[in-house]
Amino acid sequence: MIATAASAAQPTTHYRICPLCEACCGLEVQVDSGRVIRIKGAEGDVFSHGYICPKGYALKDLHEDPDRLRQPLVRRNGTLQPATWDEAFEEIERRLVPLVARHGKDALALSLGNPNVHKMGLLLYTSRLARAVGSKNIFSASTLDQMPKQLSSGLMFGNWFSVPVPDIEHCDYLLMLGANPMASNGSLWTVPDFRGKAKALRARGGQLVVIDPRRTETAEVADAHHFIRPGADVFLLAAMVHTLFEETLVEPGCLSDWINGMNEVRDAVAPFTPAAVAQRCGIAAETIRALARNLAGAKRGCVYGRIGTCTQTFGTLCSWLIDVLNVLTGHLDSPGGAMFPKAAAFAANTMGKPGVGKGVVTGRHSSRVSGAPEVLGELPATLMAEEILTAGPGQVRALITVASNPVLSCPGGENLDQAFAGLEFMVSVDIYLNETTRHADVILPGTAVLEDSHYDVAFPALSYRNHARFSPAVLARSAGAMPEWQILLKLVAIAQGLGAQADVLALDDQLVAADVARLAGDHAPAVLAALAGRQGPERLLDMALRNGPYGDQFGRKPEGLNLDKVAAAPGGVDLGALQPRIPEVLRTPSGKIELAPASLLADLSRARAALNDPAPAFSLIGRREVRSNNSWMHNLPVLAKGPERCTLLMHPGDAAALGLAAGELATVTLRPGRQVQAPVALSDAMMPGVISLPHGWGHDRAGANLQVAAQRPGVNLNAVLDETLRDPLSGNAVLSGVGVVVSA
Ligand SMILES: Nc1nc2c(c(=O)[nH]1)N[C@H]1C(S)=C(S)[C@@H](COP(=O)(O)OP(=O)(O)OC[C@H]3O[C@@H](n4cnc5c(=O)[nH]c(N)nc54)[C@H](O)[C@@H]3O)O[C@H]1N2
Ligand SMILES: Nc1nc2c(c(=O)[nH]1)N[C@H]1C(S)=C(S)[C@@H](COP(=O)(O)OP(=O)(O)OC[C@H]3O[C@@H](n4cnc5c(=O)[nH]c(N)nc54)[C@H](O)[C@@H]3O)O[C@H]1N2
Ligand code: SF4
Ligand SMILES: [Mo]
């Protein structure tokens, strides 16, 4: 029986999309007397078909975690104490308003973390908060992650969110760099059950090829794996492009009419011959040529790169060259290739005039201390500490974090720890008292996942197949809980000078009325009437679905989608396999794919200059494991059990040369004073000269309250990584391939 709200009388089964990672699996949650008794994959889900990973089960532990915050905390006499919502918001108004009045808007920064993207109440309202705050100091996990791909997509296709994804169900040659979907369950590519889909690809005669400095879990299920020296992907990719031109393998097919800049690309990659890059990559020239030939020869092929290709100093170049390869081989926008999903709601590349647009720009302002350009309205997360610690006009003195734990997730974590401790005022919207939020003066507890309704705002635009799925709240809202969108609107009200007592429901009405007036013009009254009866994110969702490419257009297309229809479909609505979208998807001023954006061509000379850089003693890379997720799931017993996960993985030969045995502590040093110690684990899956430590650990700080995580705290990788290293174009942090020294 599928029910909409838990009844006390008998067990009920509820459909819920898992918000823990980008795979967005549909789950069935069984509830008895208000308690979760069982979680399993929803067989009837049109998109995930019953798949679940170990984290999905952890939603029960998350809900029941005694350490999860359920009441606001306000710092009084130096300690965080339980408070009412009114007290908490009044404290924020009392402290924040005069501070901003005195020091200006830029004195208040925002730090937005990963879970924002997984909750519609957060994602749809943090943009409102950012606008109300009006500060240029907006930081987010995007510059620790995918900003290079967004920038390259923006420059090539005209929209920050036009990121093509592999059409894996029809692909027969998938070349994957810097991604490990067997552990991560996919990223910038929503693809539940990657294992099953890779198996099907191979069963129909297709090939999966993995390029990674570690022979990963994904490499284990692939046809071929090649080690690459960390950070060398730009050279490999440029040499593959070079090979396509040299061997006259360029065949963009029906894309030919929609490309600008082909000759410029050919000339720009001329110096990157396979022979010239082979040593830098650690891949033989003949192998590089074969990779290019195989891609060109595949009927339905695709290159896909993910975080390993973004979090390096040439992140934007790598992200660009991946799609250059897809374009030149005719695999972009072609079935089985790299395709643009068409999301039912919220996708910027389904709005406005099809086929042409304004494109993207960066650098509309820059950071105060380092002068780094703004990208997508944000400044690099790695600059947050210096903006707080450097005195002078425009210094950041106050901070609001929303679902963000930069002390563990951002390079220079120790500096951030120190910087946060010195802030004049800090607010955190979060579910834990953790390494970051322990510095807050007010903590506003986020909504329990199972007490929230859900629709994925971001991920349908990155999905292997088009779909629309909605989950109502599984459990009734706990007494004293406040939905996150209302928390954020209270902060909007305070920032706008409306005060802590402002009526957030009225404010929501006003903001929506303004949105509708902008979008619908003369039709605004009718649109608002059609949305009556809804509020908050669900109203925005209904509007987006109805306005969207499959929508009912507020009655003009009665067969189209609206929220009622999506909500009534158990397991969601399947909208079919990905379809070609060029030229309609393009939003460049030229109406073409810009294959050779000037800023990227210019950056290639930086790559050329780095071609012969010597290898460091050791290159440090990261690692993800299925039972972990960034920094915040280590407190859930079902995931925390099992072997120690925060280990320094290295090749047995490297360990022997240093006199290190498995289990012994190794010291990893970036520079004097910047080091961590971690127990060594040995594996010949590591490329010699490369070591790997997962991020998100280091749960040993006084004042945090993560009782399970604290039992095996691990160490903070980002305490050693270098906050001064970034991709200059996107501002993205360098998290991979950082040169370090290892000692016993
Ligand atoms: N060295 C290294 N560093 C990395 C990475 C790496 O690969 N290597 N990866 C980077 C990447 S890709 C990312 S995305 C970032 C992630 O880093 P962050 O964006 O900091 O995200 P998390 O570490 O997941 O921390 C999430 C925070 O949100 C809180 N939270 C969890 N659920 C909720 C909720 O429902 N509501 C609210 N309000 N709060 C909630 C948690 O308590 C925690 O404080 O880390 C980056 N850091
Ligand atoms: N279990 C689990 N799942 C997660 C997360 C998690 O923490 N745990 N985090 C989520 C988040 S926020 C994100 S962004 C996604 C990320 O999803 P993925 O991109 O799939 O992330 P990783 O598993 O870190 O895979 C990155 C791979 O890049 C490799 N690599 C490192 N440096 C280089 C390099 O220079 N070149 C090449 N070619 N490869 C390199 C690493 O060895 C690693 O195998 O995962 C999401 N899913
Ligand atoms: S793969 Fe696991 S964590 Fe990710 S959405 Fe599916 S069940 Fe949730
Ligand atoms: Mo991420």
Side-chain angles (χ1 to χ4, degrees), residues 240-434:
M240 287 177 67
V241 174
H242 176 98
T243 304
L244 294 179
F245 282 108
E246 189 184 47
E247 301 190 5
T248 57
L249 297 171
V250 172
E251 261 184 61
C254 43
L255 290 179
S256 296
D257 291 343
W258 304 105
I259 302 171
N260 272 343
M262 182 109 91
N263 293 341
E264 288 86 337
V265 170
R266 183 199 56 210
D267 296 346
V269 299
F272 298 93
T273 63
V277 306
Q279 201 197 351
R280 181 68 153 92
C281 298
I283 302 178
E286 200 41 43
T287 306
I288 297 174
R289 281 192 206 97
L291 287 169
R293 287 177 202 139
N294 290 344
L295 179 70
K299 198 157 166 253
R300 298 174 159 216
C302 181
V303 191
Y304 162 76
R306 196 42 290 265
I307 197 163
T309 60
C310 282
T311 53
Q312 39 174 289
T313 175
F314 299 111
T316 305
L317 287 183
C318 291
S319 300
W320 165 60
L321 289 169
I322 284 165
D323 284 326
V324 168
L325 284 168
N326 283 323
V327 169
L328 295 179
T329 51
H331 295 319
L332 186 92
D333 200 45
S334 171
M339 300 193 74
F340 298 99
K342 190 193 264 186
F346 302 114
N349 68 22
T350 62
M351 298 173 197
K353 190 172 169 199
V356 68
K358 287 205 210 111
V360 303
V361 292
T362 63
R364 292 168 298 175
H365 54 259
S366 45
S367 76
R368 178 180 62 106
V369 180
S370 288
E374 154 278 336
V375 179
L376 193 42
E378 300 183 15
L379 295 173
T382 43
L383 300 183
M384 201 172 0
E386 69 176 28
E387 290 296 334
I388 298 172
L389 294 170
T390 311
Q395 180 182 7
V396 170
R397 294 159 187 274
L399 174 70
I400 300 176
T401 72
V402 185
S404 171
N405 191 8
V407 169
L408 296 192
S409 59
C410 186
E414 297 300 320
N415 291 354
L416 276 166
D417 208 25
Q418 203 192 17
F420 293 166
L423 283 166
E424 286 174 34
F425 190 61
M426 174 166 159
V427 178
S428 291
V429 182
D430 208 287
I431 57 168
Y432 285 116
L433 178 50
N434 65 16

Side-chain angles (χ1 to χ4, degrees), residues 119-174:
K119 294 183 99 180
M120 68 169 175
L122 288 177
L123 193 56
L124 294 174
Y125 284 80
T126 43
S127 47
R128 297 213 189 287
L129 178 62
R131 223 168 299 137
V133 165
S135 169
K136 72 174 187 184
N137 289 307
I138 309 287
F139 304 96
S140 91
S142 289
T143 51
L144 303 170
D145 185 346
Q146 82 290 345
M147 199 59 107
K149 191 72 201 179
Q150 292 196 269
L151 178 56
S152 75
S153 300
L155 292 170
M156 295 178 81
F157 311 122
N159 189 281
W160 298 102
F161 299 92
S162 289
V163 174
V165 303
D167 177 18
I168 190 168
E169 290 190 306
H170 307 103
C171 182
D172 56 25
Y173 181 82
L174 180 53

Side-chain angles (χ1 to χ4, degrees), residues 17-27 51-57 59 184-185 192-193 633:
I17 299 167
C18 177
L20 298 180
C21 90
E22 295 177 44
C24 303
C25 304
L27 306 182
Y51 180 75
I52 183 171
C53 87
K55 285 200 293 293
Y57 303 104
L59 282 172
S184 69
N185 280 298
D193 191 19
M633 285 185 204

